[in-house]
């Protein structure tokens, strides 16, 4: 069984910063991508940032709305992904979810797993 546990959410003023963390644990034989999504009240869940596997850090991609403000990174040794969020704005207020493609057996397929979410609130 695999768990993704997010931390680091909270309340911050506009212009401030937060760093989210998501640690994967359990029967893990490999992780290909790790990503952050967010869902604001009344809106659909959207991709914020994604990082692929790779010993050199992995390729990244970002939603246009966060480019230049957010940075995704991962620590493969800890099966952890981070999201550094700078210059936060009220429109960044949402529940942030961690997502990862994880293989739970040596020769198995990668399956998508989700964390429970962490709330980020940015006040104006």
């Amino acid at each position: 069984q695999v768990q993704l546990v997010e931390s680091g959410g909270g309340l911050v003023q506009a212009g401030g910063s937060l760093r989210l963390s998501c640690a994967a644990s359990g029967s893990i034989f490999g992780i290909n991508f790790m990503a952050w999504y967010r869902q604001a009240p009344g809106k659909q869940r959207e991709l914020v940032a994604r990082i692929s596997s790779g010993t050199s850090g992995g390729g990244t991609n970002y939603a246009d709305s966060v480019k230049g403000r957010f940075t995704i990174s991962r620590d493969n040794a800890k099966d952890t992904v981070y999201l550094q969020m700078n210059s936060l704005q009220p429109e960044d207020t949402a529940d942030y979810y961690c997502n990862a493609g994880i293989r739970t057996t040596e020769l198995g397929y990668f399956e998508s797993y989700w964390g429970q979410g962490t709330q980020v609130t940015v006040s104006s």
Side-chain angles (χ1 to χ4, degrees):
Q1 279 45 332
V2 171
Q3 276 192 318
L4 296 178
V5 178
E6 300 104 333
S7 61
L11 173 64
V12 65
Q13 287 189 330
S17 298
L18 284 174
R19 189 192 193 210
L20 305 182
S21 299
C22 171
S25 63
S27 178
I28 297 172
F29 278 80
I31 301 176
N32 49 11
F33 75 90
M34 301 188 84
W36 289 97
Y37 284 74
R38 67 185 181 187
Q39 187 168 18
K43 294 188 176 181
Q44 288 190 328
R45 190 172 295 190
E46 63 173 355
L47 175 67
V48 176
R50 186 180 190 275
I51 185 167
S52 60
S53 62
T55 56
S56 60
T60 60
N61 60 285
Y62 296 90
D64 288 343
S65 59
V66 307
K67 282 180 181 176
R69 300 189 298 123
F70 291 9
T71 302
I72 190 170
S73 61
R74 64 189 284 180
D75 185 333
N76 291 330
K78 296 181 179 179
D79 291 335
T80 298
V81 64
Y82 306 96
L83 186 68
Q84 178 66 44
M85 305 185 294
N86 299 328
S87 302
L88 283 161
Q89 300 301 316
E91 52 266 35
D92 295 315
T93 295
D95 291 325
Y96 283 71
Y97 296 89
C98 177
N99 176 230
I102 297 175
R103 181 167 57 190
T104 57
T105 60
E106 188 172 0
L107 300 177
Y109 295 102
F110 287 95
E111 297 179 60
S112 180
Y113 289 86
W114 292 87
Q116 293 297 307
T118 185
Q119 190 172 53
V120 171
T121 303
V122 184
S123 63
S124 57

